[in-house]
Structure formats: C-alpha cells, structure tokens
Amino acid sequence: MNTLAKIHYQISPEDPKGHLFQVTLKIAQPDAVGQLLSLPNWIPGSYMIRDFAKHIIMPTAQTAKGRPLDIIPTSKSTWQVEPLSPQEHAAGEELSVQYQVYAWDLSVRGSHFDESHAFFNGTSVFMAVVGQEHETCQINLVASQHAQMQEWRVATTLPKKQVGKKGWGHYWADNYRDLIEYPVEMGSFLELSFEAHKIPHRIVFTGQFERQKLNTKQLLQDLKAICEQELSLFEKPYPIDEYLFQVMLTADGYGGLEHLNSTALMASRNDLPYLHETERSDGYLQFLELCSHEYFHTWNVKRIQPKVYQTTDLSEPVYTNQLWWFEGITSFYDGLILQRAGILTQEQYLNRLAKEMTRVYRMPGRFKQSVAESSFLTWTKFYQQDENAPNAIISYYTKGSLIALGLDLLIRAQTEGEKSLDDVLLYLWQNHGQTGKGLKEGEIEAICSKVSGFGLKSFFDAYLYGTEDLPFEELFSAAGIQFSLRPATSLKDMGGTTDATQYPVSLGINVVATEHQTLKVSHVWEGSCAYEAGLASGDEIVALNLYKMSTPAQLEEFLKRYQVGDVLECHYFRRDELKQTPLLLQAAPEDRVVLTVMPSVDKEFAWLI
Ligand code: ZN
C-alpha cells in the first residue's frame, strides 16, 4: 500500500438521531483551477438513477490552514471548489472538504444509520475527486462517541492498513472504482466464519433476531457446500482470498447486491434456520439461493463483465443487451448449485424450477418485449415497473434463466453429454474474467456457439432477440423430464406438482385486502375476464353478486361455486365513484409449469449431477 495516498476520506457515524454520517475528504494535490467533486448517480449492479447526492448536506471547503473556500453545486451531483491561491498552491497546501450524509435508506443500495447499526456503500458517501479517480485512496473509519458506547465493530473487506481489534482505523483502496466495491457494516452484529476450499469466509447478521435459537451449524455447513460448489465449477485460480456476506435482518426484507469479494443482503429473520426445525424451510432455501446467487456474481459480472461496465462513469445510465447472461445465468445456477451441493433433492429442485418457470409463463408481456430489450431498457422498465408490467415487459432474470436452462439442455443433447453450460462459464472465466477483457455486445452468443461446437444463431434470434417461448417439451424430453402446463389451483399457486383434479375459474387479477375490507386490484392480466369487464389497477372491488368481498381468501372460496360461462355482477369503486360491471367467468389459463421425471428414466440421469 502506498503510504502517501493523495486522497484521504474520514467517515464517522456521528448522529444516530439525525441519521448523519460526518465525512472529511482531504486532497493533497487539488486542481489548480478549482477542484471538481462528484457523486455517482447509480450503483453498479442496480440499474436505476438514484441521485445519491440528494442526501449530501452542508458541504464546506477550506485550506489546510483553515481558510474557507467556496463550494457550489454545478449539477445535481457535482460541486466546484474555489481554487487555492497561487501561493497556497505553490506551497503544496491540501484541500479539505467536509459534509454530512443523511443515511435513512434501509436497502442494499444506499446507506442507513440509527442506534442499532450503520451501513454504507461508497457510492452514497464518498465524493470522487474528478481527474484523480485513478489515485489510491485512504479511508479512516472513526468510531463516534455513540459507536464507542455501543461497543460497535466493523465488518468490511476494504483492504486494511492499520486497524484496531474492532475494525476501526485505516483502510485503503486502489482507486475510486475499487473504493465503492466495499460496503461497510458497523454495529453489534453476530459474526460467524467458515472456510470454503481453505478460503476464509465470514457472515455477519445485523438487526433483531433470536441469536441463541439460530442453527449456526446447519447454516455454515450449507453455505460452505454452496461456496465450494461454485469455487470448483470455475476452478483455480480462485478470484478471492476472503469473502464476506453482510446480512441485514428485518421482518420481510429480501434483496442482494454483489461486490468484488462481499455481498450486502437483506433477508427476513424468519428465513434463517432455527434449532427446533427438523428440515430446511422454504424461506431458508430461498435465503440460501440468494447467497448462492450473489456469490456466483463474484465471477459472473464482477470479473466476467460487459465491456461497457468497465467505464468509471456512473453519472449516466450504461446500456447493454447482456443482462440476460449476467442475471439470467446467475439466476439459473443459484438453484442448480443447491441441488449439486446436496441441499435440494432432485424432486425438490424440479419443483422449485417449475415455479421459477411459471413466473415467465404467467406473463403476457413475454410476447411484447424481448429479453435483450428488457436488459437494454432496464433503467426505465424493469427497475421502474408499474401496474401494467405483466402485460408489457419480461424480466431478464426469469426469462434469462430459462434461456440458460434451454441452452444447457440443448448443448448437452447436441454434444451427447460431452459439453454443457458449465464449459461456457469456464471459457468465459479463463478468457475474460481472469484477463479483465470485457465482453462486447453479441460476443457471449458467439462464445456459446464456439464452446458447444454448433451454430446457435437461430436459437438466440428466436428466444433472446425474439419473443418466442422456448421449446421445453422437446428439450426436456431429451433429458428424460416431462414438461407440462396446468391451470392455477389458487391465487398463491406458483406452479409445480399438485394433487388437484379440478381447477377454479379465473378473474385474471391480483388483489390485496384494504383497510376498509375491500379488495384492491393491483394488476389486471390482458385478455382476462376482469380485463374484458373493464376493471383496472387501483379499483376497489366491494361486492360480487351483492356479496361483500373482504379478503383474497374469501374471494377464492366464493369463486369455487361458479363455473366457466357464469356471469357475476361486480360492484367496485374507481376513485370515489361507484361502478357496476358484469364479469363473464373464464377458465384459468394453463400457465403453471409442472416438471416430472419420466417413469422410464434412471433418476440419476446426467443433467442433474
Ligand atoms: Zn443478480
């Protein structure tokens, strides 16, 4: 580490009541004509303009000797500092900038601070020194009086320079782009550790939960198995020499953001494994899939990455068609890794996969938008979904993972089991991840063909750039699995196997109960019975056939008495206007996926090994 870093940041969780971090930035060699400073408008991995600078409060600037300098905004995320005098400049005086950051965004993308903990991403708190983004920076994490009283510790993978036992002290980063790769958690968290292929891994849990009831043995055993599967898949050299899972627990949190050698996660405390449980809950399996997903990004997007992501400019959106690969393939492998690690049985895995597939088959929007376009327009469409999203767009996560699945099945079938999608990943890691050579648009498709040894242009034209459904009946049948579609049994039915022989009628809406005990329509499926009757998102259904409807469960029970072709009189409010419309009941569409192993097939067949 360069001990003469020209850029120093000092940050302290100062005021938990005001949710304020105090930041000081010292620049050894400021721009002679006046230093320009900037803050990113988005954070890598989350493709939305978030304007983090709106939370910067009271920036001030001065020379080392304390002479105040003007600092004025020049755009929503840049500031101009008055130049030092020629004498001050000649004497090598440094520039000091102070500001506060309001941290009240409890998400993996921003910063958050109260009496219980403090968390930040560099993108929220560290102004970049324009023109010196390539310079090494030093970061001093200072325990405020508040943090000292609470016995807080620090959890981060920022490279250490001189750090005390609790983690407060001096860290460094190679350059600005690296600096924002290491989120920092501060608090009285639970920290657990394990080794995966001899690499030290840690997981820290912040937030309120019953620590003494946690089944730590199970958790660490499962995480180790997942990490080792992924390390083995990509083979040596491993990209990391340590790894940190930072988990914030709330009642119903869910989400993750990948970084170079860590990930920030939000999860529900109910989704952890507890000592009294005899088997892994669905929620815990979902938590493990989230860990598996973010860990997989250590290779797939943090190192194997689109060329356009290798820019340092985080002021404007960056456009690429490639998110189907980086999120879709990662979503496909997050569950498959659990099966390979022995955490999911073959049957459990197929059932979960069927549910994942259902998320695509339910969406009429898959015929309106290609996955490539979904990736390109993620900034305004996928990341800013409205009530019409099911009818208008398709997720590059869900359909991207189906393209991954289709590719894997196709490559295995065409090469008679010689090759698989694993080989494509390995090629990408060896030729792009390890070398830092970014991927140009269309390059991944060419690599899929090259590695598998046959042309895939028509495949990508139809399913990636076009909007066709993949031919899963045929693709699965070659792998000994039967793919079929059936209607939903209930509003909560997300696909997979079922014992039902009869299926209720469908209104084609999502509803939520309101505080006035009515049903508020959140989404209307195009072409459905509700769509034809003129219902829209935001409408409040009051009664069907003059019976008050208060909960989704009551609605489902009520509908069981009716058949296709029956007409229900629907009373509803649109805003404050009472309206009435007939609902002509339709059959529920066959859009729930079921996957079953064909009876003639050896259950240990190659695809799932
Ligand atoms: Zn992801």
Side-chain angles (χ1 to χ4, degrees):
M1 153 61 191
N2 172 9
T3 51
L4 303 168
K6 291 177 188 153
I7 297 170
H8 288 247
Y9 296 93
Q10 177 173 302
I11 181 163
S12 174
E14 201 65 45
D15 175 6
K17 293 193 173 70
H19 319 295
L20 296 170
F21 284 105
Q22 182 68 42
V23 183
T24 300
L25 162 58
K26 288 186 175 168
I27 305 159
Q29 292 172 9
D31 193 330
V33 297
Q35 185 60 54
L36 193 60
L37 303 166
S38 73
L39 204 65
N41 287 329
W42 60 281
I43 180 167
S46 182
Y47 307 103
M48 191 165 127
I49 294 297
R50 296 186 190 274
D51 291 327
F52 299 115
K54 66 187 170 193
H55 299 306
I56 300 287
I57 299 171
M58 278 202 327
T60 58
Q62 57 193 315
T63 63
K65 290 189 178 147
R67 185 173 77 83
L69 299 166
D70 281 344
I71 175 168
I72 52 165
T74 49
S75 78
K76 63 181 180 175
S77 55
T78 54
W79 298 262
Q80 178 74 59
V81 184
E82 178 190 348
L84 273 64
S85 70
Q87 294 79 5
E88 286 164 341
H89 195 72
E93 266 205 56
E94 66 176 19
L95 167 65
S96 173
V97 177
Q98 288 86 31
Y99 51 91
Q100 293 180 323
V101 183
Y102 177 65
W104 199 236
D105 171 19
L106 188 56
S107 83
V108 296
R109 306 170 298 256
S111 59
H112 188 261
F113 171 32
D114 65 9
E115 287 84 356
S116 68
H117 88 129
F119 170 83
F120 68 77
N121 280 288
T123 36
S124 290
V125 298
F126 296 135
M127 285 185 187
V129 180
V130 175
Q132 300 189 37
E133 292 91 341
H134 58 282
E135 291 285 352
T136 303
C137 359
Q138 191 169 313
I139 306 98
N140 188 11
L141 298 178
V142 179
S144 63
Q145 224 181 0
H146 167 79
Q148 281 168 343
M149 285 192 304
Q150 305 280 331
E151 291 281 301
W152 280 17
R153 290 170 290 141
V154 176
T156 180
T157 51
L158 260 170
K160 293 185 175 88
K161 188 178 177 222
Q162 197 179 6
V163 174
K165 248 184 18 209
K166 289 180 181 160
W168 302 100
H170 295 275
Y171 295 82
W172 61 278
D174 265 342
N175 50 52
Y176 186 79
R177 196 56 198 252
D178 251 28
L179 171 66
I180 61 171
E181 276 297 329
Y182 306 101
V184 178
E185 176 68 47
M186 292 156 270
S188 307
F189 41 73
L190 171 67
E191 178 171 331
L192 304 169
S193 57
F194 63 97
E195 282 193 351
H197 287 337
K198 298 195 178 143
I199 300 167
H201 287 59
R202 286 177 292 154
I203 182 163
V204 300
F205 291 102
T206 309
Q208 219 169 299
F209 69 109
E210 286 141 314
R211 292 184 184 196
Q212 66 284 5
K213 307 274 189 207
L214 186 67
N215 190 342
T216 52
K217 192 174 157 214
Q218 175 86 65
L219 176 76
L220 297 182
Q221 182 188 314
D222 289 343
L223 279 177
K224 178 185 170 76
I226 288 167
C227 296
E228 291 193 339
Q229 275 293 327
E230 296 187 15
L231 289 163
S232 298
L233 170 65
F234 287 98
E235 300 180 1
K236 285 183 178 173
Y238 302 136
I240 47 172
D241 50 22
E242 67 164 319
Y243 194 86
L244 171 66
F245 295 91
Q246 291 167 325
V247 192
M248 176 73 203
L249 294 168
T250 62
D252 54 4
Y254 182 78
L257 196 58
E258 64 276 9
H259 301 284
L260 274 179
N261 61 355
S262 67
T263 179
L265 307 173
M266 295 271 302
S268 165
R269 63 178 72 90
N270 301 323
D271 292 347
L272 296 181
Y274 290 101
L275 288 167
H276 71 279
E277 291 165 341
T278 51
E279 57 186 52
R280 298 179 187 93
S281 68
D282 276 350
Y284 176 47
L285 290 172
Q286 191 186 24
F287 173 71
L288 290 177
E289 274 184 355
L290 179 63
C291 294
S292 165
H293 181 103
E294 303 305 338
Y295 194 73
F296 199 88
H297 276 314
T298 307
W299 294 266
N300 200 37
V301 95
K302 295 317 299 186
R303 288 168 178 85
I304 304 166
Q305 56 186 187
K307 195 170 171 55
V308 291
Y309 284 1
Q310 296 180 328
T311 162
T312 49
D313 185 8
L314 297 170
S315 62
E316 295 288 337
V318 174
Y319 297 97
T320 176
N321 285 333
Q322 299 179 52
L323 286 173
W324 73 275
W325 178 270
F326 293 101
E327 291 303 349
I329 271 65
T330 305
S331 297
F332 170 59
Y333 274 92
D334 65 24
L336 185 61
I337 291 290
L338 263 59
Q339 196 275 335
R340 288 185 183 176
I343 293 167
L344 292 174
T345 63
Q346 185 190 64
E347 201 181 347
Q348 283 174 315
Y349 174 64
L350 286 179
N351 223 16
R352 290 180 81 81
L353 183 60
K355 289 180 184 182
E356 285 295 309
M357 297 180 78
T358 297
R359 291 169 68 187
V360 173
Y361 281 84
R362 286 186 73 203
M363 301 299 162
R366 72 187 191 276
F367 299 122
K368 309 262 183 71
Q369 188 186 42
S370 71
V371 178
E373 187 194 279
S374 173
S375 166
F376 196 84
L377 297 179
T378 180
W379 301 89
T380 50
K381 295 209 172 197
F382 184 75
Y383 264 92
Q384 298 194 53
Q385 293 182 34
D386 61 18
E387 64 288 340
N388 197 40
N391 298 321
I393 68 166
I394 189 65
S395 156
Y396 50 80
Y397 282 82
T398 55
K399 193 171 172 194
S401 81
L402 265 54
I403 295 177
L405 166 64
L407 264 178
D408 193 38
L409 290 167
L410 187 63
I411 296 172
R412 286 173 191 270
Q414 294 273 329
T415 62
E416 294 180 341
E418 284 289 303
K419 296 267 168 64
S420 74
L421 203 55
D422 291 4
D423 295 291
V424 180
L425 277 166
L426 196 57
Y427 180 95
L428 285 166
W429 168 232
Q430 289 170 348
N431 293 279
H432 291 268
Q434 289 177 33
T435 60
K437 195 167 154 234
L439 288 146
K440 290 182 274 204
E441 299 303 295
E443 200 171 352
I444 292 175
E445 291 95 284
I447 288 170
C448 288
S449 290
K450 181 176 169 176
V451 173
S452 57
F454 60 94
L456 282 160
K457 185 175 182 307
S458 58
F459 178 94
F460 289 119
D461 282 351
Y463 313 122
L464 173 59
Y465 297 101
T467 57
E468 288 179 41
D469 279 343
L470 284 102
F472 278 119
E473 215 166 318
E474 189 189 322
L475 287 168
F476 270 120
S477 120
I481 292 174
Q482 192 180 348
F483 166 91
S484 57
L485 291 162
R486 62 166 177 79
T489 56
S490 69
L491 280 173
K492 285 188 181 146
D493 173 18
M494 287 297 127
T497 49
T498 173
D499 298 331
T501 49
Q502 280 191 319
Y503 298 97
V505 293
S506 159
L507 296 183
I509 48 176
N510 282 356
V511 288
V512 288
T514 70
E515 57 190 23
H516 354 102
Q517 301 209 317
T518 57
L519 294 178
K520 190 168 186 167
V521 177
S522 57
H523 301 86
V524 179
W525 261 251
E526 192 176 271
S528 67
C529 150
Y531 177 93
E532 297 299 343
L535 286 172
S537 171
D539 289 347
E540 271 182 60
I541 297 176
V542 180
L544 291 178
N545 274 6
L546 304 180
Y547 290 100
K548 182 171 162 54
M549 290 293 134
S550 310
T551 64
Q554 188 202 352
L555 171 68
E556 290 204 294
E557 202 51 40
F558 181 79
L559 287 177
K560 281 183 188 165
R561 292 171 221 149
Y562 292 87
Q563 294 172 352
V564 174
D566 286 347
V567 177
L568 299 179
E569 202 52 38
C570 174
H571 284 84
Y572 65 98
F573 276 106
R574 175 160 301 170
R575 299 178 300 276
D576 62 346
E577 300 161 15
L578 183 63
K579 294 183 184 290
Q580 194 175 352
T581 184
L583 285 166
L584 171 60
L585 295 178
Q586 296 178 359
E590 295 193 346
D591 58 7
R592 264 60 175 179
V593 175
V594 182
L595 299 174
T596 41
V597 178
M598 291 170 172
S600 56
V601 171
D602 178 356
K603 288 204 166 188
E604 295 296 314
F605 76 96
W607 182 55
L608 293 175
I609 292 172

